[in-house]
Amino acid sequence: MIGLQKLHLKIGDYVIRNCSKEDLPSVISINLVSLPEHYSDIFFEEILNELPEAFLIAEKDGVVVGYIMCRIEYGLSVLHKFGLARKGHIVSIAVLEQHRRKGLGYGLIKEALKALKNKNCSEVFLEVRVSNLEAIKLYEKLGFKVISKLRWYYRDGEDAYLMGRAL
Ligand SMILES: CC(C)(COP(=O)(O)OP(=O)(O)OC[C@H]1O[C@@H](n2cnc3c(N)ncnc32)[C@H](O)[C@@H]1OP(=O)(O)O)[C@@H](O)C(=O)NCCC(=O)NCCS
């Protein structure tokens, strides 16, 4: 992470900053209790190594309470019918239940979007369960629009919305 411009943003009593390797056990445990989609430890490490600029955590008194992790993909634009794009992909975001509705989810995404734009992404996308109304509201507040429905996207058979916006 040499040369990484470190973020330090205060939101009330919380700080949003770049994730470090030492934070990964906390991130992994937040993922385990907050979402049905889990990943191997190596996957988290790889995402951190690939794009530390857009792997952010929220913490309070030194305790990690939320995270967002993203990667960059090249391929068909999700916004335009034809053409290729350098796309930011929000892979996972979660805030511990007792720390929700304090603007942390919003802040984590807002900062991750800035980082993706700085890395020359022209658009950003994510997948969200069609039943996850809180998350969908949050994404809409940040300017994301539903692009399509991905049938049977999740292992349990639930559909996802593909949502995206320009950067
Ligand atoms: C989705 C999630 C990350 C939101 O985090 P958060 O820190 O509570 O979000 P914020 O406080 O920044 O909320 C911002 C806005 O999102 C919307 N929102 C968030 N939670 C909401 C809820 N429970 N009900 C309705 N709207 C909600 C609101 O518009 C809110 O703005 P407001 O508080 O001014 O009304 C959090 O609920 C979470 O971790 N959920 C479990 C994991 C998950 O579902 N991740 C997304 C997978 S795609």
Side-chain angles (χ1 to χ4, degrees):
M1 273 194 233
I2 296 160
L4 175 67
Q5 193 111 22
K6 290 276 175 74
L7 173 72
H8 186 96
L9 176 74
K10 283 203 132 217
I11 297 186
D13 296 338
Y14 297 86
V15 170
I16 291 183
R17 63 165 174 80
N18 296 90
C19 182
S20 69
K21 207 168 176 217
E22 293 68 43
D23 298 316
L24 284 182
S26 307
V27 167
I28 291 166
S29 68
I30 294 170
N31 170 261
L32 279 175
V33 297
S34 311
L35 281 162
E37 287 69 50
H38 306 141
Y39 315 95
S40 65
D41 294 6
I42 288 174
F43 182 77
F44 286 90
E45 271 181 46
E46 277 174 3
I47 298 264
L48 180 60
N49 287 337
E50 273 172 34
L51 197 57
E53 296 86 350
F55 196 145
L56 308 175
I57 58 112
E59 75 177 358
K60 186 181 180 189
D61 303 328
V63 177
V64 181
V65 302
Y67 72 90
I68 185 167
M69 61 183 194
C70 309
R71 64 181 170 206
I72 294 176
E73 296 171 19
Y74 307 87
L76 288 177
S77 165
V78 297
L79 301 179
H80 307 292
K81 237 186 173 164
F82 305 104
L84 297 170
R86 184 174 160 89
K87 305 177 282 189
H89 183 186
I90 297 181
V91 176
S92 186
I93 171 172
V95 173
L96 284 177
E97 201 159 3
Q98 58 273 37
H99 300 278
R100 290 182 190 161
R101 290 317 280 274
K102 295 177 192 300
L104 298 177
Y106 187 91
L108 284 166
I109 298 178
K110 197 97 188 150
E111 293 307 314
L113 297 187
K114 281 189 208 163
L116 291 170
K117 196 174 158 99
N118 281 340
K119 298 292 276 183
N120 296 320
C121 293
S122 57
E123 53 189 62
V124 56
F125 73 97
L126 55 86
E127 299 87 7
V128 58
R129 286 177 179 267
V130 294
S131 64
N132 195 346
L133 301 181
E134 306 90 73
I136 292 168
K137 268 207 149 182
L138 168 61
Y139 302 143
E140 283 176 343
K141 194 171 174 178
L142 282 149
F144 286 78
K145 299 253 184 304
V146 171
I147 290 157
S148 60
K149 196 188 249 190
L150 309 171
R151 300 269 174 209
W152 289 84
Y153 183 78
Y154 295 99
R155 274 193 191 188
D156 59 7
E158 186 167 348
D159 297 339
Y161 286 129
L162 174 69
M163 297 185 76
R165 56 158 275 188
L167 285 174

